[in-house]
């Protein structure tokens, strides 16, 4: 497409054989037209990509000093912390990087929900995103097992036992996952192997995610498609600069935790070596799993489905149901800016997710001002599914949206001035 | 190729194509099995699958925990009162109905896997100082399951009784689990 590189004879020679320069330019360069109205909520995808790269880089170095054996894993992590040069820094970056990755991806997903980024023609883009999220959760779970502390061991025990809820073959699956009759050395070995593999699977999915993104380009806060070149600016230098600025702000946040509160997101019990005969008083997963943990525990026995199986179905269903959103939301208007009712319900859903996280952090027997946490968790779970499966479809049919601007440009020019965003 | 009609030729080609694809697909699927099965317990893991326990030193009212297949096994020398409690229960009141006689070969010895059937935590109740739950047996702190003096689930999210492993009495005071 662009002939601008062809002046340099070396680039010209390479480009003729492998058009890599134009490929880069059309992906993240001046040859990629991007909506000119993107706000800072559009920074989080690229930030998540950068954190993925940071996780791989720190992870490779950690693997050079880590021993995946039940007798040495805990000690090898302590050795990394105490003896390996800058081992403490690299491990704390990796450890907190996991939390950062989830913070960024949660914001990225809520942004998609708010601005309707999942809608036609970006359904596959959204579904691939949900798959990335699932792969991230699997990777994070297995990574948390590797230090072989008490939470590692008991988290692994509780989560792998979830599969025993599957009728008939459940117990065989659990034995197969463990490679034995309990979480033990074979389990630790395979989790290490898979924890190293999965980030590359995520890389592959991210590539497909970006491929699909570049077909119809980014959605934008107005939620209207690009109509003409008036609506776009080149990705480079405009959004490379904006993303870099956002990266600077984010790194301040990230490094604050790495240097000043490295164990803020962790559990003290994980600095006790795994003991198969002592269960910690209160097993809690990492914070990013808490809403799902609350859903797992909220489901009672329903008809012939046991609480255990029902909880597992609800927990996995909570993520998988997101894949159906493009078809559940029938509103042609994407952005919540022009959807007065959906916009309010979006925030109700956001608060519901926070409440579920708060319930997940508490013991199911605990009571909050006379209300058992179990009830709060059940109410939150019912709303979660009702929001996605009932409220979103109904609102998308019944709500009368505000007329969106004719184009991205029209929103800020005289002829589009009539349609002021309701935000 | 003969001069027969195209349709005959097509049928033969289709047959070859379909049978080749089928054999190829089945073969590839079968080749996956070794990889899947390699993740099942290995021979040395299986070899550690029995444990012998000397019951002699366990006084009435005491419990010990032994390790079998990497899992804790509760061995409890039950008191007469506990046995009476366990036998007196109306089976209709149980979540997972099972007679106490089917759970203990000799009523004073209760032997079972000490792993909560909910999500695999280890219930409390082995030590005198620990909570035994509302039914005087065991209590799982993770998600609040209560077990009675026969290790049967009475309250909470666990769906099943604590499982009784296969065991035999080698002598009056030694058992072989597994």
């Amino acid at each position: 497409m662009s002939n601008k590189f062809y002046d340099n004879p070396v680039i010209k020679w390479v480009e003729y054989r492998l058009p890599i320069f134009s490929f880069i330019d059309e992906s993240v360069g001046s040859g990629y037209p991007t909506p000119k109205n993107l706000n800072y909520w559009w920074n989080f995808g690229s930030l998540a990509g950068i954190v993925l790269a940071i996780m791989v880089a720190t992870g490779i170095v950690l693997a050079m000093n880590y021993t995946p054996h039940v007798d040495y894993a805990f000690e090898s992590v302590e050795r990394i912390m105490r003896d390996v040069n800058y081992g403490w820094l690299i491990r704390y970056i990796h450890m907190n990087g996991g939390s950062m990755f989830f913070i960024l991806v949660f914001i990225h997903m809520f942004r998609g929900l708010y601005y309707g980024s999942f809608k036609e023609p970006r359904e596959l883009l959204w579904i691939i995103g949900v798959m990335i999220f699932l792969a991230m959760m699997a990777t994070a779970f297995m990574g948390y097992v590797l230090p072989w502390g008490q939470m590692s061991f008991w988290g692994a025990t509780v989560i792998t036992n979830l599969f025993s809820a599957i009728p008939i073959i459940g117990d065989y699956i659990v034995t197969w996952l463990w490679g034995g009759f309990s979480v033990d050395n074979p389990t630790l070995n395979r989790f290490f192997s898979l924890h190293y593999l999965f980030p590359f699977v995520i890389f592959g999915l991210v590539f497909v995610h970006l491929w699909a993104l570049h077909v119809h380009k980014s959605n934008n806060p107005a939620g209207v498609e690009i109509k003409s070149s008036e609506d776009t600016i080149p990705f480079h230098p405009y959004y490379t600069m904006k993303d870099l600025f956002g990266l600077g702000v984010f790194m301040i946040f990230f490094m604050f935790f790495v240097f000043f509160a490295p164990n803020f997101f962790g559990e003290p019990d994980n600095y006790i070596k795994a003991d198969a005969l002592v269960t910690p008083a209160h097993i809690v997963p990492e914070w990013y799993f808490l809403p799902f943990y609350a859903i797992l525990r909220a489901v009672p026995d329903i008809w012939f489905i046991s609480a255990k199986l029902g909880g597992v179905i609800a927990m996995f269903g909570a993520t998988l149901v997101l894949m159906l959103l493009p078809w559940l939301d029938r509103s042609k208007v994407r952005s919540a800016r022009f959807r007065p009712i959906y916009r309010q319900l979006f925030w109700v859903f956001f608060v519901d997710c926070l409440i579920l996280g708060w319930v997940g952090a508490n013991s199911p027997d605990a009571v909050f001002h006379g209300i058992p946490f179990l009830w709060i968790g059940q109410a939150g779970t019912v709303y979660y599914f009702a929001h996605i499966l009932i409220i979103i479809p109904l609102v998308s049919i019944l709500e009368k949206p505000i007329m969106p601007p004719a184009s991205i440009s029209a929103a800020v020019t005289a002829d589009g001035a009539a349609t002021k965003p309701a935000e | 190729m003969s001069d027969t009609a195209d349709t005959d030729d097509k049928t033969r080609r289709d047959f070859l194509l379909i049978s080749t694809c089928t054999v190829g697909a089945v073969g590839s699927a079968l080749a996956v099995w070794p990889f899947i099965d390699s993740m099942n317990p290995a021979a040395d893991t299986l070899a550690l699958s029995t444990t012998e326990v000397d019951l002699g030193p366990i006084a009435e009212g005491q419990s010990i925990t032994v390790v079998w297949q990497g899992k804790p096994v509760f061995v409890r020398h039950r008191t007469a009162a506990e046995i009476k409690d366990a036998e007196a229960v109306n089976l209709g009141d149980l979540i997972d109905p099972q007679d106490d006689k089917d759970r203990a070969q000799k009523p004073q010895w209760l032997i079972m896997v000490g792993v909560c059937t909910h999500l695999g935590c280890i219930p409390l109740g082995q030590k005198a100082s620990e909570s035994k739950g509302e039914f005087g047996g065991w209590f799982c702190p993770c998600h609040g399951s209560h077990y009675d003096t026969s290790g049967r689930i009475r309250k909470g999210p666990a769906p099943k009784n604590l499982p009784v492993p296969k065991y035999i009495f080698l002598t009056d005071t030694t058992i072989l689990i597994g």
Side-chain angles (χ1 to χ4, degrees):
Chain A
M1 171 188 136
S2 41
N3 291 322
K4 50 197 158 192
F5 306 111
Y6 290 165
D7 293 343
N8 183 314
V10 178
I11 290 179
K12 203 170 169 182
W13 189 91
V14 173
E15 179 74 20
Y16 182 68
R17 286 152 183 85
L18 176 73
I20 190 168
F21 294 102
S22 53
F23 178 76
I24 293 171
D25 187 58
E26 285 157 26
S27 302
V28 290
S30 55
Y32 181 56
T34 317
K36 63 183 181 183
N37 59 337
L38 298 186
N39 58 28
Y40 274 109
W41 299 113
W42 263 262
N43 277 52
F44 290 85
S46 72
L47 284 177
I50 291 165
V51 170
L52 176 62
I54 292 173
M55 293 302 277
V56 169
T58 49
I60 287 170
V61 179
L62 288 171
M64 292 176 188
N65 286 292
Y66 172 76
T67 312
H69 187 283
V70 289
D71 292 336
Y72 306 106
F74 187 84
E75 283 77 2
S76 72
V77 172
E78 284 308 303
R79 184 180 159 269
I80 288 169
M81 294 302 290
R82 293 151 199 250
D83 295 343
V84 175
N85 299 331
Y86 292 106
W88 59 273
L89 177 64
I90 293 161
R91 173 164 180 258
Y92 277 154
I93 291 173
H94 197 77
M95 204 170 113
N96 287 282
S99 286
M100 295 301 134
F101 202 178
F102 277 96
I103 291 174
L104 297 171
V105 166
F106 282 137
I107 295 173
H108 188 62
M109 291 168 80
F110 276 114
R111 188 270 284 154
L113 284 177
Y114 188 88
Y115 292 108
S117 303
F118 53 86
K119 290 188 188 180
E120 195 262 322
R122 296 185 182 82
E123 300 97 325
L124 283 177
L125 175 61
W126 171 260
I127 289 171
I128 295 159
V130 177
M131 288 163 66
I132 293 171
F133 180 58
L134 287 168
M136 276 174 66
M137 291 200 287
T139 310
F141 161 66
M142 290 188 289
Y144 193 59
V145 175
L146 302 183
W148 208 242
Q150 273 289 66
M151 281 297 168
S152 300
F153 181 87
W154 290 100
T157 298
V158 169
I159 299 299
T160 50
N161 263 305
L162 292 179
F163 292 91
S164 69
I166 300 167
I168 305 165
I169 54 167
D171 287 331
Y172 296 100
I173 290 180
V174 173
T175 303
W176 177 72
L177 287 172
W178 287 340
F181 304 104
S182 58
V183 173
D184 210 333
N185 201 45
T187 325
L188 179 60
N189 265 292
R190 63 190 57 187
F191 278 19
F192 179 58
S193 170
L194 294 173
H195 182 70
Y196 207 115
L197 166 73
F198 270 42
F200 298 98
V201 174
I202 295 176
F203 254 125
L205 287 168
V206 167
F207 180 80
V208 184
H209 193 63
L210 290 176
W211 188 4
L213 173 71
H214 283 125
V215 175
H216 292 285
K217 315 281 187 281
S218 295
N219 182 34
N220 62 82
V224 292
E225 290 294 301
I226 296 168
K227 299 273 164 59
S228 69
S229 58
E230 293 273 282
D231 294 338
T232 65
I233 45 175
F235 190 84
H236 179 75
Y238 296 101
Y239 286 112
T240 41
M241 278 308 124
K242 190 168 179 175
D243 280 351
L244 277 172
F245 175 73
L247 178 66
V249 175
F250 165 69
M251 288 304 273
I252 293 170
F253 178 77
F254 184 3
M255 289 304 131
F256 168 80
F257 286 103
V258 168
F259 287 104
F260 299 104
N263 290 299
F264 177 80
F265 294 106
E267 283 292 324
D269 272 25
N270 221 30
Y271 284 100
I272 303 168
K273 194 176 172 178
D275 183 345
L277 299 183
V278 180
T279 309
H282 184 39
I283 298 181
V284 275
E286 288 280 82
W287 68 268
Y288 36 82
F289 291 133
L290 290 175
F292 300 101
Y293 197 52
I295 291 173
L296 168 75
R297 298 186 303 188
V299 181
D301 286 316
I302 302 170
W303 199 23
F304 64 92
I305 299 171
S306 69
K308 186 165 149 182
L309 180 60
V312 171
I313 291 171
M315 186 182 73
F316 284 105
T319 306
L320 295 176
V321 74
L322 295 173
M323 292 190 181
L324 300 176
L325 265 180
W327 296 276
L328 291 169
D329 189 338
R330 309 189 66 83
S331 175
K332 293 270 181 272
V333 177
R334 289 201 189 93
S335 174
R337 278 187 181 177
F338 307 105
R339 300 186 58 193
I341 299 172
Y342 176 77
R343 188 171 66 244
Q344 290 168 30
L345 289 166
F346 167 87
W347 289 109
V348 175
F349 181 69
F350 177 74
V351 171
D352 185 53
C353 292
L354 294 183
I355 290 173
L356 283 172
W358 169 62
V359 171
N362 281 284
S363 159
D365 299 333
V367 172
F368 177 74
H369 292 298
I371 311 166
F373 270 105
L374 183 65
W375 295 4
I376 305 173
Q378 288 175 338
T381 302
V382 168
Y383 185 79
Y384 183 96
F385 284 102
H387 181 91
I388 293 171
L389 293 171
I390 300 167
I391 295 174
I392 282 185
L394 278 183
V395 167
S396 70
I397 295 165
L398 300 175
E399 175 186 53
K400 186 160 174 15
I402 299 164
M403 188 65 185
S407 71
I408 294 169
S409 288
V412 287
T413 50
D415 49 322
T419 51
K420 266 235 152 79
E423 220 168 33
Chain B
M1 282 292 149
S2 66
D3 288 330
T4 49
D6 274 342
T7 47
D8 287 352
D9 203 30
K10 253 185 187 161
T11 314
R12 265 171 51 168
R13 280 172 179 272
D14 284 351
F15 173 76
L16 279 173
L17 183 67
I18 292 168
S19 52
T20 309
C21 288
T22 308
V23 171
V26 170
S28 307
L30 289 177
V32 173
W33 176 247
F35 293 88
I36 294 173
D37 195 39
S38 74
M39 287 174 71
N40 271 319
D44 62 334
T45 310
L46 291 170
L48 298 172
S49 58
T50 60
T51 300
E52 205 176 303
V53 187
D54 180 11
L55 303 177
I58 312 168
E60 191 175 308
Q62 276 188 341
S63 303
I64 62 160
T65 305
V66 295
V67 177
W68 170 64
Q69 293 186 344
K71 289 177 289 217
V73 170
F74 293 169
V75 179
R76 178 152 182 86
H77 193 166
R78 294 194 293 185
T79 62
E82 285 171 349
I83 298 167
K84 208 169 137 237
D85 278 355
E87 286 175 348
V89 174
N90 177 4
L91 290 190
D93 296 343
L94 296 174
I95 294 166
D96 179 16
Q98 202 179 11
D99 204 325
D100 186 58
K101 289 187 187 66
D102 300 330
R103 294 182 52 79
Q105 293 177 16
K106 296 184 181 179
Q108 68 271 36
W109 295 109
L110 180 65
I111 292 140
M112 57 191 187
V113 177
V115 175
C116 182
T117 56
H118 181 225
L119 291 174
C121 296
I122 296 177
L124 302 174
Q126 283 293 88
K127 290 180 190 149
S129 57
E130 288 173 351
S131 164
K132 291 183 184 303
E134 290 175 19
F135 297 87
W138 287 265
F139 169 68
C140 183
C142 291
H143 306 99
S145 293
H146 299 258
Y147 296 91
D148 67 12
T149 56
S150 187
R152 291 173 298 200
I153 179 67
R154 300 299 289 274
K155 187 185 169 190
K160 297 262 179 225
N161 302 332
L162 292 178
V164 176
K166 207 175 92 184
Y167 65 94
I168 48 167
F169 278 87
L170 296 174
T171 68
D172 273 356
T173 58
T174 40
I175 54 166
L176 182 73
I177 306 172

